Amino acid sequence: MTMKLLSVASEIYPLIKTGGLADVVGALPGALVEEGISSRTLVPGYPSVLSRLGKAKAVRRYDDLFGVPAAVLSAKVEGLDLLVLDAPAFFAREGGPYGDHGGNDWGDNWRRFAALSRVGADIAEGTLKGWRPDIVHVHDWQAAMTAAYMRFGPAAAVPKVVTIHNLAFQGRFGADVFAGLGLPPEAWGVDGVEYYGGIGYLKAGLVSADAITTVSPTYAQEIRSPVHGMGLDGLINGRVERLHGILNGVDTDIWNPSADPLIAKPYGARTLSGRTANRRALEKKFGLDRDDGPIFIIVSRLTWQKGMDLMIAAIDHLVGLGAKLALLGSGDHPLEGAFLGAADRHRGRVGVQIGYDEPLSHLMQAGGDAILIPSRFEPCGLTQLYGLRYGCLPVVARVGGLADTVIDANEAAVSAGVATGVMFAASDPLALHGAIARVVELHRDRAVWQAMQRAAMRSDVSWHHSATRYAALYRALLAEAA
Ligand code: ADP
Ligand code: GLC
């Protein structure tokens, strides 16, 4: 019999995306179909979501959901079976999903995402006519309270999985919001929503979950330590028998160099020469000189997590070695300014586009030689997976999912023909310098470089293996509950 899964999240590609979370939430349902699992995904009714719904049906109405009227709409969009929480007072806003254009968080985020989670728990309790999930899987702090609402309500026995995509974002609020959450008094406390005297949404989810997953095996280990645990390592160590590290995959239809409408010319592992047209288009787009030096690309949020300050300090070195850099990103204003400054200093060698541009990110993977990812921590990371698939070799810090997905070009790996990228010690400026120099060196040897590109493009970055692991976990939880 088909297993019915309710997934709850604050982003879903292609309707609303600020990062990898959206890619994962958008791709996993399709991958689970092969495992005999049918998913519906509950997401907030942001303007960009509502405008894509087309024919939608209201399957539940609320007169008073945390003080506002709301409806749950059911719709199919791009193969996704969606439940959309249409609560205009909460979600019909100009700006991003979590804050205004200026980057300030919305003051009522506690209420917006408690509402999303409350509705998730209601659905788990069977309030939709004709559909009740066997299992509930929620993502990050914005949806984590679903597990807490379930645990303290009639759906306590329905298995609940909480996935950590990034422990740096925990959804912490003051103790005063507790009264507004509609939870019973026993939900307060160290075994409930209380967190260092306030309230922690992710924390509440982690103590309530039947299984905790995170998006790579290495990150699952790292978050048990104080450095990466960010205050939650104690709790996570206490529940370690419930913790699973399952790698993300990528949607191999959307990210397919041999049939990608967003690139200048399609190519495959046997037709690598097709990359040249993409390289030319990339050089043109970023105003880069036409020569043989390797083109490094960066497609990233510009933040401390991503090691972008380390990157700025490495640009002169990169240019000095005859390489070029094309960067697409947005984030912290001082970092944006510093990259724009570097582009000014190194015309023809460094090109920078500040902003968010999904199509351009495809062309960069197709035309670039190597993608730089110097993250201080990285739960999984998706851009290195796109890089592998496109033969744009990942140059990555040895942390989290980066360590789990790239094979460093050491002597043994190169001679065995299995190397797919370059790895270096995280948070270490000299190690980053060294890695850039190694890439320039490797790139000079066309035979070695192309062998690495082919090995990279052979890597299995699909969802197949991970979907099997999620399915096995769901089945184990259902067996335990029965
Ligand atoms: P994170 O979620 O931490 O930002 P991931 O590597 O998991 O990191 O996912 C980032 C996703 O966002 C990838 O799909 C990447 O291609 C995309 N992305 C990041 N910045 C940009 C940008 N400026 N323009 C287009 N896509 C971007
Ligand atoms: C988070 C992490 C990133 C991961 C993504 C999807 O945004 O920062 O490493 O790939 O979630 O799981």
Side-chain angles (χ1 to χ4, degrees):
M1 223 182 65
T2 320
M3 190 192 300
K4 295 190 294 283
L5 173 81
L6 172 68
S7 158
V8 186
S10 60
E11 300 184 18
I12 188 163
Y13 181 87
L15 303 181
I16 173 82
K17 165 167 167 175
T18 71
L21 167 71
D23 293 302
V24 172
V25 172
L28 194 49
L32 290 171
V33 170
E34 287 168 36
E35 302 291 332
I37 299 169
S38 77
S39 316
R40 298 181 91 177
T41 309
L42 174 68
V43 293
Y46 306 115
S48 69
V49 173
L50 292 176
S51 70
R52 296 282 294 275
L53 286 193
K55 258 212 338 258
K57 192 169 128 217
V59 289
R60 172 100 209 258
R61 287 187 195 281
Y62 292 84
D63 294 330
D64 178 1
L65 178 70
F66 290 81
V68 309
V72 179
L73 310 177
S74 162
K76 291 219 163 64
V77 185
E78 308 245 358
L80 295 164
D81 194 339
L82 299 181
L83 294 165
V84 175
L85 176 55
D86 183 17
F90 290 152
F91 302 119
R93 296 181 187 177
E94 289 290 313
Y98 316 120
D100 62 20
H101 286 303
N104 309 298
D105 283 352
W106 303 116
D108 59 350
N109 274 347
W110 72 271
R111 204 193 294 271
R112 301 169 78 226
F113 294 106
L116 178 72
S117 299
R118 178 64 262 173
V119 171
D122 289 347
I123 296 170
E125 288 168 15
T127 55
L128 293 192
K129 248 222 238 83
W131 194 82
R132 184 187 191 136
D134 301 309
I135 189 144
V136 175
H137 185 167
V138 307
H139 299 267
D140 274 355
W141 74 265
Q142 295 91 341
M145 285 288 280
T146 307
Y149 282 120
M150 286 172 67
R151 171 179 164 212
F152 293 104
V158 177
K160 23 195 172 341
V161 179
V162 175
T163 293
I164 301 168
H165 292 267
N166 193 335
L167 219 42
F169 303 107
Q170 301 188 355
R172 292 180 69 170
F173 303 101
D176 53 314
V177 313
F178 184 72
L181 291 177
L183 281 164
E186 67 267 25
W188 182 258
V190 284
D191 186 37
V193 301
E194 189 274 335
Y195 187 49
Y196 294 109
I199 288 190
Y201 280 21
L202 182 60
K203 184 263 177 170
L206 298 182
V207 292
S208 303
D210 298 292
I212 299 170
T213 74
T214 188
V215 288
S216 70
T218 293
Y219 193 59
Q221 285 302 320
E222 289 169 344
I223 59 177
R224 299 180 60 189
S225 74
V227 182
H228 292 289
M230 303 197 165
L232 284 166
D233 41 297
L235 187 164
I236 289 167
N237 278 306
R239 306 212 65 202
V240 74
E241 80 291 351
R242 297 266 154 194
L243 175 68
H244 308 263
I246 305 179
L247 268 181
N248 290 331
V250 311
D251 188 322
T252 49
D253 291 329
I254 294 171
W255 293 94
N256 179 6
S258 61
D260 185 338
L262 302 173
I263 66 178
K265 185 176 179 182
Y267 62 93
R270 288 206 194 85
T271 49
L272 282 172
S273 59
R275 291 186 106 260
T276 308
N278 293 298
R279 184 188 174 92
R280 294 292 169 252
L282 178 64
E283 285 166 344
K284 201 161 156 225
K285 184 94 197 166
F286 282 87
L288 297 175
D289 299 340
R290 250 177 95 156
D291 59 29
D292 292 339
I295 303 180
F296 288 90
I297 66 159
I298 292 176
V299 179
S300 184
R301 292 186 285 121
L302 304 180
T303 63
W304 184 86
Q305 173 195 340
K306 301 292 181 181
M308 286 298 133
D309 49 326
L310 303 169
M311 193 53 230
I312 284 163
I315 288 182
D316 291 356
H317 169 73
L318 182 153
V319 171
L321 292 170
K324 296 178 277 189
L325 173 67
L327 175 140
L328 167 65
S330 62
D332 300 348
H333 295 308
L335 293 172
E336 291 181 351
F339 280 114
L340 287 170
D344 258 357
R345 275 202 324 276
H346 297 295
R347 282 180 190 268
R349 311 310 297 175
V350 175
V352 169
Q353 298 254 354
I354 299 300
Y356 195 93
D357 189 337
E358 194 85 27
L360 180 56
S361 72
H362 285 243
L363 175 67
M364 292 172 75
Q365 298 278 10
D369 295 298
I371 178 161
L372 270 162
I373 314 176
S375 306
R376 286 195 168 79
F377 66 95
E378 197 60 76
C380 180
L382 296 177
T383 58
Q384 83 279 16
L385 302 179
Y386 303 142
L388 290 170
R389 186 136 169 89
Y390 280 65
C392 181
L393 300 183
V395 184
V396 302
R398 189 179 287 105
V399 281
L402 302 174
D404 290 334
T405 53
V406 176
I407 301 175
D408 177 61
N410 59 43
E411 296 255 346
V414 169
S415 61
V418 296
T420 59
V422 166
M423 224 183 270
F424 58 94
S427 313
D428 178 345
L430 283 182
L432 174 58
H433 275 58
I436 292 169
R438 274 170 72 205
V439 170
V440 172
E441 200 53 46
L442 287 161
H443 185 259
R444 259 190 217 118
D445 189 333
R446 294 315 292 162
V448 166
W449 189 262
Q450 290 196 352
M452 284 177 68
Q453 286 182 303
R454 288 195 198 93
M457 294 174 80
R458 274 197 308 271
S459 310
D460 182 4
V461 294
S462 77
W463 270 106
H464 182 71
H465 182 67
S466 300
T468 308
R469 287 203 57 200
Y470 279 116
L473 174 63
Y474 300 153
R475 280 190 213 103
L477 293 175
L478 283 171
E480 183 185 85

